[in-house]
Amino acid sequence: MKNIIAALFFLISFLSFSQKTKTLDQNVYLLEKDIMYNDYLTDSIRVKKIDLLLKDLKFTDFEKKDLFIQYAKSFKTITSHENDDVNVIDALDDLIWISENCDTTNSSQTILYLGCVLQINRILSKNDAFELALKFTKNGLDLIERRKLFSYMWINEFYNDYGVNLSYLQRYEESIKTLEKALVYTDKEDYSTKSSIEHNITLNLYYLGKIEKSLDHQKLSCAYMDKITNFEKYPDLLITYASSVSLLAYIYYQTKHFDEAKKSGLKARLAYEKAGEYDSGSYPYLFALINIAIKNKNQEEIKNTLQEIKTIVKKVKTNKYLFYNLLSKSYASIKDTALEKKYLQEAYNIYQLENSKIISNLQGFNSKLQSQKIKFLKSKQDLQELNYKKSNQLFFVFIGLLFIVIIALIYFSRVKRRLLESKNVIASTEIQKNEYKAQLVEKEIKEKQELVSRLASHIKLKQETETAFLKKIKELKRNKNNNIEAVISELQVKMMNLLQIDQGFQYGQEVDEINQDKKETLKHKHPELSDKEVQFCMYLLLNLSTKEISSLTNQSPGAVRVYKNNIKNKLIKDNEIDLTSYLKQINEPNGY
């Protein structure tokens, strides 16, 4: 009888413990499956569902309930304040704190930890902090693979997000392998996720130059979206579909399938109009449509598409510079120089503004991460000290005053060790912070130089076109018809004026502004160089060819080569060293 009662008591205790664990599992599953990753929900419905869930939690009791409530509230904050950087960074702080307090040896808390990691990754990735995001996602994947948690419901999301972060960091081959794993762990009828993963594989293949393969994968991505019934009713899914078809239109155009490109572009336009929302995903189909219109010389379509781009650019919230850049290129194609320059300047201004915002967010993330780490170490230290004091009290009660000296020595030894550990952690954090700063500076410099190179290419293209046009006019001028000669003379005067305007473009001023540090370094190393010679060296540092420099300075290529050789003789004794390589080494931190 006693054995039966004991067995029943053990069974009831086990079921009670299992129910607590199951309840946390169920709540995490409910929040993630029915709210977080449900593509069919709008943000307002998500917030209402979270409020209902939080209301129900008042009447339930399970392990780590407080952590889960904070987890749900954090996601509500992210959803409600998506474009409010301050609130989103606060939510990031909470998510990191929750993940630090999860016991990953416990299966239920492991699920909560993995959910936090996914949300942390999403916030960081959305703000272009891909290096930081990669570290968090890698920690989650390491835990999944180490513990073989391949039945976890969102394992495909981990592989997909990890692959996307690798892609942004230009590790394309590695990204494709990771995304292929994501496909393996995706349910065969989860068409939305499969489409998204195929879309990401497409981008990696495109960046690797494998355009035909990328076309096959993007076709597959759109085919998966076509299998979803009635997705037009759901704005988020409609935006995803529109972005997918938009990229397909772009790749069709790149592979010279112009009819298919136009069909896909019109489908993307219709989908965006139904959704009533736009993002940087709108850019590819607009690129295809405007270029096809220009290619076909269809003035009505050119006018309508340009107006469409100008309307959309007012609605998008991020990456506006892409649309201004597209307007600039479009006006360049139809030879409207004034509007080309105007929108190129707008693209540059918006890019600078958005880039400064990203840097500010990254600094905020770094600050929050460092603050959270210090807070966690302090709470851990306080807990250790509390446990230590309790053990000391028991020790004094049972052992007596004989061991007071020994305890004091042990205490000070531990304090000293903790102090050393804290110093090491702070030093390590500072090193990481400096690395992030260096990466940001390097990225900004590279992007500025790319923009200047594009400006130079625009100027070169116009000058070559104008020169060819003048040459043609001279040929026509040989005609003995007096009326034709008068017309041509008038055109020649106008073209000469246009050339003088282009030659007066303040390109040197743009180079000075972006490369001021490099100029100062070069002047410091070689004070014997004149300002004109220093300016010439800046062109070489921008990797401009002899022909491009000739076009910019209105000198013959032969004169440019002689000028370059004179500078080289002044700076370098060894004829085997290339002048451009020498200049780049000067501007390296440990250069000449």
Side-chain angles (χ1 to χ4, degrees):
M1 188 65 181
K2 288 182 180 179
N3 291 337
I4 293 173
I5 292 172
L8 286 172
F9 179 77
F10 176 78
L11 181 61
I12 291 170
S13 300
F14 176 77
L15 290 174
S16 175
F17 176 77
S18 299
Q19 184 61 33
K20 283 187 176 183
T21 303
K22 185 178 180 183
T23 304
L24 179 59
D25 289 351
Q26 286 175 334
N27 279 288
V28 175
Y29 185 83
L30 174 68
L31 185 64
E32 293 191 346
K33 182 178 184 298
D34 293 344
I35 299 175
M36 288 188 183
Y37 300 107
N38 188 335
D39 291 331
Y40 297 85
L41 298 181
T42 62
D43 286 344
S44 59
I45 295 175
R46 289 181 207 277
V47 171
K48 289 178 182 177
K49 278 182 168 284
I50 294 171
D51 284 336
L52 288 173
L53 177 63
L54 290 170
K55 186 177 179 181
D56 291 341
L57 288 174
K58 293 180 181 178
F59 308 102
T60 59
D61 183 30
F62 55 89
E63 185 184 9
K64 293 289 182 181
K65 176 180 175 179
D66 292 341
L67 281 182
F68 177 74
I69 289 174
Q70 187 61 44
Y71 178 53
K73 287 180 177 178
S74 297
F75 185 74
K76 180 182 175 181
T77 300
I78 296 167
T79 308
S80 305
H81 304 279
E82 185 177 2
N83 297 310
D84 186 343
D85 295 330
V86 175
N87 281 289
V88 171
I89 291 176
D90 285 340
L92 175 70
D93 191 26
D94 290 337
L95 288 166
I96 293 170
W97 180 82
I98 295 167
S99 67
E100 294 282 9
N101 283 276
C102 286
D103 178 8
T104 53
T105 61
N106 178 295
S107 61
S108 296
Q109 293 181 45
T110 297
I111 292 174
L112 189 59
Y113 167 78
L114 292 173
C116 284
V117 170
L118 273 178
Q119 291 309 311
I120 291 167
N121 168 72
R122 295 291 167 85
I123 294 171
L124 294 173
S125 297
K126 189 171 182 179
N127 289 275
D128 292 352
F130 301 112
E131 287 283 0
L132 283 172
L134 198 67
K135 289 183 179 180
F136 280 99
T137 318
K138 182 69 165 62
N139 289 340
L141 273 178
D142 286 345
L143 178 63
I144 288 169
E145 293 177 350
R146 186 173 66 253
R147 297 264 300 279
K148 301 188 185 303
L149 304 175
F150 298 113
S151 60
Y152 173 57
M153 56 187 169
W154 296 118
I155 185 172
N156 60 330
E157 294 286 342
F158 266 95
Y159 280 112
N160 184 42
D161 289 357
Y162 190 69
V164 170
N165 289 334
L166 288 170
S167 178
Y168 277 114
L169 295 172
Q170 299 182 3
R171 294 158 63 177
Y172 303 125
E173 296 284 0
E174 192 178 348
S175 175
I176 291 171
K177 291 178 182 177
T178 307
L179 292 169
E180 287 171 348
K181 283 187 180 180
L183 280 175
V184 171
Y185 292 108
T186 301
D187 185 270
K188 64 180 180 180
E189 293 185 358
D190 187 356
Y191 301 126
S192 174
T193 303
K194 281 183 172 289
S195 173
S196 174
I197 296 169
E198 288 289 357
H199 181 87
N200 293 330
I201 291 174
T202 298
L203 291 172
N204 281 287
L205 289 168
Y206 184 84
Y207 295 144
L208 288 169
K210 300 176 181 180
I211 301 181
E212 292 296 336
K213 281 190 176 181
S214 72
L215 178 61
D216 293 338
H217 281 274
Q218 194 56 25
K219 284 181 184 177
L220 195 55
S221 174
C222 293
Y224 281 130
M225 290 300 295
D226 288 335
K227 291 183 180 181
I228 301 174
T229 58
N230 298 325
F231 68 83
E232 291 90 347
K233 296 180 181 179
Y234 308 102
D236 286 351
L237 261 183
L238 195 54
I239 285 290
T240 303
Y241 173 74
S243 295
S244 186
V245 180
S246 179
L247 181 60
L248 182 62
Y250 179 79
I251 298 175
Y252 268 134
Y253 179 81
Q254 293 292 330
T255 52
K256 302 190 185 315
H257 296 85
F258 299 119
D259 290 340
E260 295 297 328
K262 188 171 183 178
K263 281 183 189 176
S264 298
L266 294 174
K267 283 174 69 176
R269 173 189 283 168
L270 184 62
Y272 276 117
E273 287 174 352
K274 285 183 178 179
E277 292 184 32
Y278 296 87
D279 59 14
S280 59
S282 318
Y283 173 77
Y285 91 86
L286 290 168
F287 177 91
L289 289 181
I290 189 64
N291 279 282
I292 290 171
I294 292 170
K295 176 180 176 294
N296 294 333
K297 298 181 180 179
N298 188 325
Q299 297 300 322
E300 187 65 25
E301 282 190 13
I302 292 172
K303 179 182 176 182
N304 291 339
T305 309
L306 287 172
Q307 185 57 46
E308 179 183 0
I309 299 170
K310 291 175 185 177
T311 303
I312 290 173
V313 78
K314 296 176 182 177
K315 299 179 181 181
V316 295
K317 297 171 183 175
T318 59
N319 295 329
K320 283 177 177 283
Y321 70 91
L322 290 174
F323 298 91
Y324 282 118
N325 193 43
L326 178 58
L327 283 170
S328 175
K329 289 181 178 178
S330 302
Y331 280 113
S333 299
I334 60 176
K335 307 257 184 317
D336 190 331
T337 307
L339 288 177
E340 175 199 357
K341 289 180 181 179
K342 174 187 172 182
Y343 287 112
L344 186 62
Q345 185 62 44
E346 285 286 345
Y348 180 77
N349 293 341
I350 292 292
Y351 177 82
Q352 290 289 82
L353 184 64
E354 292 187 1
N355 196 44
S356 65
K357 184 178 179 182
I358 289 169
I359 293 171
S360 176
N361 282 350
L362 287 177
Q363 289 171 344
F365 293 143
N366 285 328
S367 176
K368 285 288 182 183
L369 287 172
Q370 187 176 4
S371 172
Q372 188 61 48
K373 184 170 286 188
I374 292 171
K375 189 189 301 181
F376 176 70
L377 289 172
K378 187 178 183 304
S379 63
K380 185 177 179 181
Q381 182 178 341
D382 292 342
L383 182 62
Q384 287 176 341
E385 288 177 354
L386 181 62
N387 290 333
Y388 184 70
K389 287 176 182 178
K390 287 181 179 178
S391 65
N392 273 350
Q393 290 171 359
L394 292 173
F395 187 77
F396 285 129
V397 170
F398 292 102
I399 305 299
L401 298 175
L402 181 62
F403 299 99
I404 292 177
V405 177
I406 298 173
I407 292 173
L409 289 172
I410 294 172
Y411 176 81
F412 287 118
S413 174
R414 290 183 178 180
V415 170
K416 186 177 179 180
R417 186 170 69 250
R418 284 198 297 272
L419 285 172
L420 288 173
E421 288 175 353
S422 298
K423 286 181 180 179
N424 290 336
V425 169
I426 292 170
S428 175
T429 305
E430 191 64 29
I431 290 171
Q432 289 180 353
K433 179 181 176 182
N434 291 334
E435 287 177 354
Y436 296 147
K437 283 184 177 178
Q439 289 170 3
L440 286 171
V441 171
E442 183 180 351
K443 178 183 176 183
E444 184 178 4
I445 291 172
K446 181 179 177 182
E447 289 168 341
K448 284 181 178 179
Q449 289 178 338
E450 288 176 354
L451 184 58
V452 172
S453 296
R454 290 199 297 273
L455 286 169
S457 298
H458 280 297
I459 295 169
K460 174 187 172 185
L461 178 61
K462 289 185 294 180
Q463 289 180 338
E464 287 180 350
T465 304
E466 291 161 350
T467 303
F469 191 64
L470 282 173
K471 182 178 178 182
K472 187 66 179 177
I473 290 174
K474 289 178 180 178
E475 291 175 1
L476 291 172
K477 198 172 180 181
R478 297 191 186 101
N479 192 315
K480 298 302 182 179
N481 187 308
N482 292 332
N483 291 333
I484 293 176
E485 183 175 357
V487 172
I488 291 174
S489 295
E490 183 180 352
L491 287 175
Q492 188 175 12
V493 170
K494 289 182 179 179
M495 184 53 70
M496 288 300 294
N497 289 336
L498 181 57
L499 275 175
Q500 289 174 0
I501 290 171
D502 282 340
Q503 289 167 357
F505 184 71
Q506 295 297 317
Y507 183 82
Q509 183 178 340
E510 298 290 334
V511 174
D512 287 345
E513 184 178 335
I514 295 174
N515 293 298
Q516 188 61 36
D517 292 340
K518 292 183 179 180
K519 287 186 71 173
E520 290 177 358
T521 302
L522 186 59
K523 285 182 177 179
H524 178 71
K525 298 281 186 179
H526 291 286
E528 69 273 17
L529 290 176
S530 67
D531 290 343
K532 184 178 178 182
E533 289 170 332
V534 170
Q535 184 69 36
F536 187 88
C537 292
M538 293 301 102
Y539 293 147
L540 294 178
L541 282 172
L542 290 173
N543 294 322
L544 298 183
S545 66
T546 299
K547 190 174 180 182
E548 289 170 332
I549 296 172
S550 170
S551 176
L552 288 170
T553 58
N554 294 320
Q555 293 180 339
S556 68
V560 171
R561 282 191 287 268
V562 170
Y563 196 66
K564 179 179 177 181
N565 194 50
N566 290 340
I567 295 175
K568 180 178 179 181
N569 292 335
K570 186 181 288 189
L571 300 183
I572 309 170
K573 295 180 179 179
D574 189 351
N575 290 329
E576 295 183 359
I577 298 177
D578 179 63
L579 178 56
T580 304
S581 301
Y582 176 80
L583 292 171
K584 287 181 178 179
Q585 287 176 339
I586 286 178
N587 281 280
E588 292 294 328
N590 297 319
Y592 295 137

